[in-house]
Structures are given as C-alpha cells and as structure tokens.
Amino acid sequence: MDEDKLREAADDKLINDAFQRLLDSYLASRHRKKVEIITKAFNFARQAHKGVRRLSGEPYIMHPIAVAQIACEEVGLGSTSICAALLHDVVEDTDFTTEDIENMFGPKIAQIVDGLTKISGGIFGEQASAQAENFKKLLLTMSDDIRVILIKICDRLHNMRTLESQPANKQYKIAGETLYIYAPLANRLGLNKVKSELENLSFKYEHPDEYNSIKAKLASTEASRRELFDEFTAPIEEALKKMGVKYEIKERVKTPYSIWSKMQNKHVTFDEVYDILAVRIIFTPEDRNMEISECFKIYVEISQIYNSHPDRLRDWLNHPKANGYQALHTTMMSKQGRWIEVQIRSDRMDEIAEQGFAAHWKYKDGMEKEFTEDETELNNWLRTIKEILDDPQPDAMDFLDAIKLNLFASEIFVFTPKGEIKTMPTGSTALDFAFSIHTFLGSHCIGAKVNHKLVPLSHKLQSGDQVEILTSKSQHIQPGWVNFVSTAKAKAKIQAILRRNSREKQKKGEEMLEEFLQKNNLSDHLNAADQLALFHEIKHREEFYQAIAEKSILLGEKDVDELMGKNAQGKGGWRKLVPFLKSKPAEGEKGQLDNGGDQFFVVPEKFNRKKPIYITDDNLTQYKFKHCCHPIPGDDILGFIDGKHQIEIHKRACPVAARLKASFGNRILDAKWDMHKRLFFDATVRLQGIDRMGMLLDIAQIVSSQMSVNIRKLTIGSDEGVFDGTIELRVHDREDVRKIMDQLKKIDGLQDVTQIV
C-alpha cells in the first residue's frame, strides 16, 4: 500500500511540475493572461485521464501537457490552443463528448477538440486507411480554424519524441506517416524548426545506422567547421560594426536528414556534401519599414569582402514564400575556396521563419486574436484544399498524394495579362495556371500565350512569365491532361470532371460484372471486383468497371479461377535467380502457404504484427520482393500485408513504401534479414570518369579477381575522353556492393561510383 502511495505522490509531483512549467511559459509570452481557463482545462483533463498510463509507463496526462507546452513555447499559440491541446484526447479516450466540452469551455475550444478527435471508417470505405480519413477531417476543420492543424503537428512532434516505447512496425508506420504528411505540412505552415525535428526523428527510427553514422561524422567535423565559420565571419562582423548595425550571427548546420537526402539524391558521400554549413545574419532594424532595404545594404557591404555566386542570389524579401518566409540568400566564396550560403534577415523575419504562421500574430495589434484568413497565400492554399475536399478521391492514397502535391512545392511568380502577380508551384504548366484562375477557363483551355508567344497547354511556366489563356467552347477535358498538370487543384478538378463523365460507364461495367458473377454462381460483388482488379493489374475498382464496359477486359474462365483461388501468383525479377526452396515459414509465423507458383506465405487472421519477420535463405521465396526499390540483404526493409494477405518487402526509403506507411500503417510489419551469403542477388553500379588505356581491365580485375564477384553485364560508352557505364553484378548482400564500390573508387581516373537501385 505504501508503495502505491509513494508512486501516486511521485506522479502528482511529475504532473504538477510539468503543468507549472507550462504556466510559466504561457505567462512569459505576449498573449493575454487567461490562466484560469487553462487551469480549468488541465484539471478537467487530469480527472478524465486519471489512472491511465502511456506505453512508456508515465501518467497519460503528461502527453496532453507536453503537447500544450510545444504549442505554447515552440509554436507561440495562446490560451484557446493551450486548452484545446490539454483536452485533445478527452473525447476520443473517455466517455465525455464534444457537447460536454462545449458546455464547459465554449464553442471555439470544442470545435478545435472535435477537429483533433480521431474517427474511423468514412469516405474511403473499410479497405482504406483511417489515417487518410483522419487527415481529411483535420483539413476540413483546418479550413475553418488553422489552429487544429498546428496543434495536431504539436501532438505528432511529442509522439515522435516518445516513439521509443513503440514496437518497430508501429515506429515505421508513425515515422513514415510523419515524413509523408506532417513534415510537409509543418513546412507549408512555416514551422521550420518543427519540420526539421520531425524529419530527423523519422530518419532516426527508419534508418538508425545511417542516422548514427551521420551524427558521428558531424561531431567529428565540428572543430574544422567552427574554424571555417570563425574565419569567414570575422571580416563580416567588422563590416557590420562599422555600419552600426545591431546584429547576431549564427551558424546553421544541415540536419542529419537533409544531409542523408542530399547523399541519396545526388549519389554523393558525406565528405562531398559541401553546404553543411551556412551563415545566418539576423539584425534588428532601426525602422521596421526599412528592413528590406537594410537587408540589401548588408548584402552590398559583405559582397565587397567576398565574391558572390552570380546565379545563387535568392530574393525572398520582395516575394516571400507561400509560408511567409522572408530572407535574402546569397552564396559566397570563402578564403578557403568553399562556397558558403549567407542568409540575411531581420529579427522579425527570423521569428517567422522558425515559428511560422503563428508568429505573424505577434506582429499584429493586440495579443491573442482569433485567427482570421487575411494571409493571402494561406487563404489560397486553404481554398485549394476545400475544393479537393468537396470532391474527394475515391482512393486514400490518391487523396493524400493530391494534398501532398502542393505541400513541398517551391514557387514561381507569374503575371496575368493585366499585370497581377500569381504564385504557382514550380513545374506548373499553362493548364495549371488556367485552372488556378477558374475551373471553366481550365476546362475549355486550348492553349496560351506566354510573353505574347503561342504555347501548348503542357508548356511549363517560368518565374516572370506573363500568361494569357486561350479558350474554346468546343474544347472539353481530355484524360491525358492529368499527366501534364502539377498542381493539386488542377489535378483534382480534371479527375472530378472525368469521374463524372465516366460514372455511366462504371454503372454499366458494374452491371456486367454482377451478371457474370451470377452466371458462375459467385457472390460477394465488391470483394470480387477488388480481387479481379488486382488480378488484371488495375489500381481502382472504378477503373476496372470502366474497362469491362469498354470491353478492354473480357471476363472469362481465368477470372472464375482467380476468384476460386486456383491461380498461381507472382513472377518476380531477380526471384528467378534464387533457387526455388520448399520450406517452412520463418519462426513465429503460423500461417499457411499459398498454393502453386512461388508458394507465398499467407498471413493468418491471428498473426502477431508486433513481432519482426525474419527473411532467411530458406524462406526467401515466400515473400514478394517489389521492383519499385529492388531490396537486397543488408538494406533497411519493412513488410507490407497486401490485399491477398501476402507480404511485400520494400526498402524503408522506397517512395511506394512511403505512401503505404502513410495510408495503410496498420499493415506494416518489421522485417529483418537473417541471410548467410548462400544466395545471389543483382546489383547495378554506375561508373563515370576520364577514359584511358587499361581502364576496363582495371575494373574487371578488381571485381572478378580481387573481390571474386561475377559480372553479369558491363556497358561502357566513351565520348571525347569521358566514359559513362554500368556494371551488373551478382552479390550476396549490400555489404558486397559497398566493398566493391570502395575498391573501384581507388582506380585512377574513376571520378564517380554510384549505386543504381
């Protein structure tokens, strides 16, 4: 009994200290001091979650307090948001309803809490993910009150910070979802600090080895970076002092995630990532109205010390990014011969860059105002989202993709014929521009005049273009248009109109399938449609109905066999290199093997999804290895239970896996290799360098003689003394590839050795 009392006392102290810290942060902010309502919300939530603990073992109420702390301290929100954060799990996890919250705390807090409460089922049907459904609800509420999404991001950040207590499959689901949805959202709302932390934490859980390796390398190069920073900034400081500017100079070090992304995208090593260090000059202007001209004055002054790169001046001052970001970026050559990015911004711009949308309110009159949609860019973005939500995609993953399209996009500025400026995502075409003005204009667009020259619909726009849209009443939307628009709004509108046009065909196809099933004494119409769509390699049920109606698919014997489970499945790439093995499932998998073909393991109903599956030399052929990412032993991988209850294996960094984690997180499994270098897999390495006599011999010598690896195919072309080629190898695992690449890099004249997925 005493032990229970001691634990209760310790819990109370923990909770009270955390709440006191929250109040201290709130009282130190510039918001109106509404301590009473915050204390009331805390006491209510504490009582509602009494006796409940998190997986980590701490009292559940610690989570809402932590989310409120992040909302207050790191995002700069006020009392309404803090109360909603404290209450955000009450409706979902206890017997209290949204009405109860409204009666006690008023309609505004209740509306935000309702937007934060998770729901299941919904517009995407049972097959699709609850996550996409939750996300849709979030966005719907967000278009009424932006605080919903801001608090949701705070909630996600705390979940990521405490992800350690979750099993691995849950970690991949939550980390994948975070990278796919929440980090881009945080970026779009200008929460730069939060975005970076979300990306880093996702990276840490999905690729722990690479994360630790980059952290260690950053630590070991810190001294030389510090020296470079001091040498580079010393003359700048002197110049700023002479100008009489009140300033602060900070170093910005690239995060492990962004270093890793650059290494992946550019196929470079850590040592070849040159922009790890950037210099940030933050000044306090004497006159707020003159801060833009002060930025340029500082730029002129420092460009007399260092030479700046002519193509790398970015003016985000006169044209802020859509998320409110303002700064002047330039890249300068240091005395050590290294390019270093310099970012010049005022203290106000810096705060908005770090805290984003919420920080705008600190620079408006009064303290905590109700959020209004007077931010033009944000308003436009919310309107786009509303339009997508008015006609939602039938498929969860398409829906998430449509929203995501505009989250990460950087911007270009284009002009209407009357000289009005419009902000569009990079990569936008003339057709995107037409839809951004009006759906009618987009639907009947036949071409455009860009800078008074005639161009087709698919013409990509550049910053500074003046665009006039040409229309014709006889023009109608074509299916191919989807392929050359890049904005979510245009894509959503085109697909909505095409769907309306194709509904009649779908209805007809549905009736034809129904007739076919009845004729063959088969029932369960919806499941049959899904299974046959998969069999005919069609993504959506609706497209399958349409194909039946258009007679591009003729239903017959093979379809009956498929529905009755008589078909062999799966003919996979390198699988044919691996000897066919009749074997038991990996330990702990009490499932069954699919009949025929490659004998895929079928996941039973009571399968323990928290335990990892182990891929061994003996059970390898029971899994589906997907071509989208070509995983081989040594890669960070995960499993995904597909529609046939079989397990697909993907690399954790695979773009297809990213969508699966975000949309179907509950079907993700932790997968590990347990191979013993008995089997061979294909791997392709790209070689580039300066051609010379004997180069080919040196390459073959290293691969075949030194490393004892079989070359399956070698393709090399030379042009004016520079060669480019690929070499296909038979290897046991990723470690073999690494060793071969390390050896190849030592060859004289070989400039670049990269691995192709």
Side-chain angles (χ1 to χ4, degrees):
M1 190 65 186
D2 286 347
E3 208 173 290
D4 289 347
K5 277 189 175 171
L6 281 171
R7 190 176 184 187
E8 205 175 306
D11 284 350
D12 283 347
K13 184 176 180 343
L14 189 73
I15 294 165
N16 292 333
D17 288 353
F19 181 61
Q20 192 52 53
R21 185 173 158 241
L22 171 63
L23 282 184
D24 293 344
S25 301
Y26 174 63
L27 290 167
S29 72
R30 288 178 50 185
H31 291 289
R32 282 206 304 263
K33 306 299 175 251
K34 295 183 176 174
V35 175
E36 198 181 310
I37 194 161
I38 292 174
T39 310
K40 183 181 173 186
F42 162 67
N43 289 327
F44 181 72
R46 186 179 190 172
Q47 200 53 43
H49 295 300
K50 198 173 173 66
V52 183
R53 292 187 179 274
R54 298 191 85 205
L55 276 181
S56 58
E58 66 178 13
Y60 193 86
I61 186 66
M62 293 299 289
H63 168 63
I65 296 172
V67 175
Q69 182 73 40
I70 295 168
C72 174
E73 190 179 1
E74 297 178 52
V75 184
L77 299 173
S79 62
T80 306
S81 305
I82 292 170
C83 289
L86 287 167
L87 299 165
H88 80 272
D89 278 334
V90 168
V91 175
E92 187 193 344
D93 294 343
T94 72
D95 295 334
F96 290 103
T97 62
T98 313
E99 285 74 33
D100 297 330
I101 303 285
E102 186 169 347
N103 292 336
M104 292 185 74
F105 299 96
K108 184 47 69 181
I109 290 173
Q111 182 196 1
I112 297 172
V113 170
D114 187 46
L116 290 160
T117 301
K118 296 189 186 97
I119 52 171
S120 54
I123 61 158
F124 300 120
E126 284 166 32
Q127 293 300 308
S129 94
Q131 182 58 39
E133 180 62 45
N134 300 335
F135 191 55
K136 173 183 183 274
K137 185 170 188 220
L138 264 177
L139 291 169
L140 275 170
T141 321
M142 169 179 144
S143 40
D144 298 324
D145 196 319
I146 194 81
R147 285 174 286 198
V148 173
I149 205 77
L150 292 170
I151 299 164
K152 186 65 193 171
I153 289 168
C154 298
D155 178 38
R156 178 50 58 125
L157 180 55
H158 186 247
N159 283 335
M160 286 304 295
R161 285 173 179 173
T162 55
L163 199 56
E164 218 157 308
S165 50
Q166 294 280 2
N169 65 322
K170 268 284 182 63
Q171 288 178 349
Y172 302 151
K173 166 202 182 302
I174 294 167
E177 219 168 70
T178 299
L179 214 48
Y180 196 73
I181 298 172
Y182 291 99
L185 258 180
N187 180 57
R188 189 59 181 73
L189 294 166
L191 300 164
N192 188 50
K193 230 162 120 190
V194 172
K195 176 208 79 160
S196 298
E197 192 177 344
L198 287 173
E199 287 175 341
N200 257 341
L201 288 166
S202 298
F203 176 41
K204 177 183 166 182
Y205 285 104
E206 292 217 86
H207 303 282
D209 296 341
E210 280 102 326
Y211 175 80
N212 291 326
S213 159
I214 292 173
K215 285 267 294 189
K217 283 174 183 163
L218 279 174
S220 68
T221 54
E222 191 177 351
S224 58
R225 233 182 6 256
R226 167 58 56 188
E227 196 181 317
L228 175 64
F229 176 79
D230 289 344
E231 278 182 37
F232 183 78
T233 55
I236 294 177
E237 295 216 35
E238 217 171 291
L240 293 173
K241 276 172 190 159
K242 269 188 196 164
M243 287 173 72
V245 174
K246 193 177 164 194
Y247 72 92
E248 186 186 354
I249 293 188
K250 290 181 182 173
E251 62 175 329
R252 185 237 54 190
V253 178
K254 239 180 169 36
T255 63
Y257 173 77
S258 53
I259 292 170
W260 180 74
S261 294
K262 191 151 201 174
M263 285 163 67
Q264 300 300 305
N265 298 335
K266 300 257 195 274
H267 299 295
V268 293
T269 62
F270 178 88
D271 300 322
E272 293 167 305
V273 179
Y274 290 121
D275 58 347
I276 286 174
L277 176 73
V279 169
R280 202 168 271 163
I281 300 170
I282 301 156
F283 67 93
T284 307
E286 285 177 22
D287 178 357
R288 282 262 170 248
N289 298 319
M290 301 298 287
E291 56 183 7
I292 290 179
S293 58
E294 275 197 52
C295 280
F296 279 104
K297 272 183 198 159
I298 292 170
Y299 166 67
V300 169
E301 200 63 39
I302 61 173
S303 57
Q304 288 174 31
I305 305 168
Y306 297 111
N307 290 324
S308 57
H309 195 298
D311 300 329
R312 292 205 202 152
L313 182 68
R314 297 281 177 270
D315 174 12
W316 301 113
L317 297 168
N318 295 303
H319 300 297
K321 288 188 184 183
N323 60 18
Y325 179 85
Q326 269 185 302
L328 186 66
H329 289 196
T330 178
T331 304
M332 301 196 142
M333 179 59 79
S334 71
K335 300 281 188 267
Q336 292 95 327
R338 291 272 297 270
W339 287 112
I340 292 178
E341 186 179 68
V342 179
Q343 302 169 354
I344 306 166
R345 51 170 89 149
S346 71
D347 51 356
R348 179 191 69 84
M349 293 172 193
D350 185 59
E351 198 169 353
I352 288 169
E354 292 305 309
Q355 285 197 334
F357 187 76
H360 282 285
W361 307 98
K362 296 188 180 180
Y363 295 95
K364 299 196 181 295
D365 297 331
M367 296 304 161
E368 187 181 355
K369 287 193 161 196
E370 286 302 312
F371 279 71
T372 56
E373 290 183 20
D374 65 354
E375 299 288 319
T376 321
E377 287 305 335
L378 187 81
N379 197 5
N380 290 343
W381 185 60
L382 291 175
R383 202 163 42 241
T384 295
I385 285 172
K386 275 182 177 169
E387 285 173 0
I388 293 168
L389 291 167
D390 286 343
D391 197 273
Q393 304 287 340
D395 180 274
M397 287 164 84
D398 276 2
F399 167 76
L400 289 178
D401 280 351
I403 293 291
K404 193 174 182 291
L405 263 176
N406 282 29
L407 291 182
F408 256 156
S410 48
E411 295 107 6
I412 56 168
F413 302 97
V414 290
F415 295 90
T416 67
K418 290 181 180 171
E420 290 165 26
I421 196 162
K422 288 206 66 98
T423 307
M424 302 287 294
T426 303
S428 292
T429 59
L431 189 57
D432 282 306
F433 182 79
F435 273 103
S436 77
I437 294 169
H438 198 280
T439 306
F440 180 83
L441 211 60
S443 306
H444 298 284
C445 176
I446 50 168
K449 280 185 178 176
V450 172
N451 307 327
H452 311 291
K453 284 184 188 160
L454 205 58
V455 298
L457 303 178
S458 56
H459 176 83
K460 282 199 173 168
L461 303 174
Q462 305 290 325
S463 238
D465 282 347
Q466 189 168 23
V467 187
E468 182 189 345
I469 297 298
L470 308 172
T471 59
S472 159
K473 281 185 180 170
S474 61
Q475 175 72 297
H476 295 291
I477 281 181
Q478 310 297 318
W481 285 13
V482 171
N483 301 323
F484 53 76
V485 290
S486 71
T487 58
K489 179 177 179 175
K491 251 193 170 74
K493 286 289 170 199
I494 291 166
Q495 285 168 334
I497 292 165
L498 288 173
R499 272 203 302 280
R500 276 201 289 278
N501 297 346
S502 67
R503 269 177 201 144
E504 267 179 48
K505 276 186 188 167
Q506 286 171 22
K507 192 92 185 82
K508 188 183 171 192
E510 204 172 338
E511 286 162 5
M512 286 166 76
L513 176 66
E514 189 67 55
E515 211 175 294
F516 172 76
L517 293 173
Q518 278 174 1
K519 201 167 94 185
N520 290 284
N521 298 319
L522 294 162
S523 58
D524 199 1
H525 173 213
L526 284 185
N527 274 350
D530 286 339
Q531 195 176 335
L532 290 178
L534 200 67
F535 175 61
H536 286 282
E537 293 177 347
I538 290 178
K539 202 172 165 193
H540 306 298
R541 189 193 297 159
E542 286 76 12
E543 284 176 40
F544 177 60
Y545 289 145
Q546 209 165 324
I548 297 171
E550 288 168 350
K551 297 203 166 64
S552 57
I553 285 178
L554 297 169
L555 298 170
E557 277 305 297
K558 60 189 186 309
D559 299 283
V560 177
D561 287 349
E562 172 63 21
L563 290 173
M564 295 175 80
K566 291 179 187 171
N567 256 352
Q569 215 277 348
K571 313 279 181 283
W574 58 256
R575 185 181 289 285
K576 60 181 178 285
L577 298 174
V578 179
F580 178 68
L581 302 157
K582 285 188 177 177
S583 57
K584 295 172 192 165
E587 209 176 323
E589 300 175 359
K590 293 199 172 75
Q592 68 232 44
L593 293 178
D594 199 7
N595 293 328
D598 284 327
Q599 297 215 333
F600 289 123
F601 171 68
V602 177
V603 176
E605 230 173 281
K606 289 181 178 169
F607 185 74
N608 185 351
R609 299 186 184 202
K610 287 182 184 175
K611 275 191 177 173
I613 52 169
Y614 287 90
I615 299 171
T616 67
D617 298 296
D618 296 330
N619 70 12
L620 184 81
T621 52
Q622 294 171 18
Y623 301 106
K624 296 178 172 180
F625 286 82
K626 305 305 282 183
H627 296 306
C628 46
C629 56
H630 191 74
I632 70 171
D635 287 329
D636 286 343
I637 51 165
L638 52 77
F640 171 71
I641 301 170
D642 68 10
K644 295 192 164 190
H645 302 291
Q646 293 160 356
I647 298 175
E648 296 178 0
I649 303 295
H650 292 268
K651 284 185 188 174
R652 284 182 222 154
C654 162
V656 173
R659 297 171 77 213
L660 296 174
K661 283 177 283 193
S663 291
F664 303 100
N666 58 333
R667 298 202 219 155
I668 299 292
L669 303 171
D670 183 16
K672 296 187 188 313
W673 299 103
D674 183 15
M675 308 290 283
H676 300 93
K677 293 190 181 278
R678 276 166 43 197
L679 305 175
F680 286 99
F681 302 84
D682 276 351
T684 307
V685 172
R686 186 177 180 193
L687 310 169
Q688 291 169 294
I690 311 300
D691 204 2
R692 60 169 170 78
M693 286 283 286
M695 174 63 84
L696 205 54
L697 186 64
D698 287 353
I699 293 168
Q701 193 89 29
I702 279 185
V703 178
S704 298
S705 309
Q706 249 181 283
M707 309 297 295
S708 308
V709 167
N710 282 337
I711 297 176
R712 290 191 72 234
K713 192 176 172 191
L714 181 60
T715 318
I716 283 190
S718 182
D719 182 21
E720 293 180 8
V722 175
F723 78 86
D724 192 335
T726 58
I727 177 166
E728 286 180 26
L729 308 165
R730 299 282 305 282
V731 295
H732 292 299
D733 53 29
R734 191 61 69 206
E735 191 52 39
D736 283 0
V737 183
R738 265 196 284 269
K739 283 178 186 166
I740 291 163
M741 286 170 69
D742 288 344
Q743 290 300 321
L744 288 171
K745 283 174 184 174
K746 293 174 185 171
I747 295 177
D748 183 33
L750 203 52
Q751 302 288 322
D752 208 7
V753 181
T754 52
Q755 183 204 316
I756 299 172
V757 171

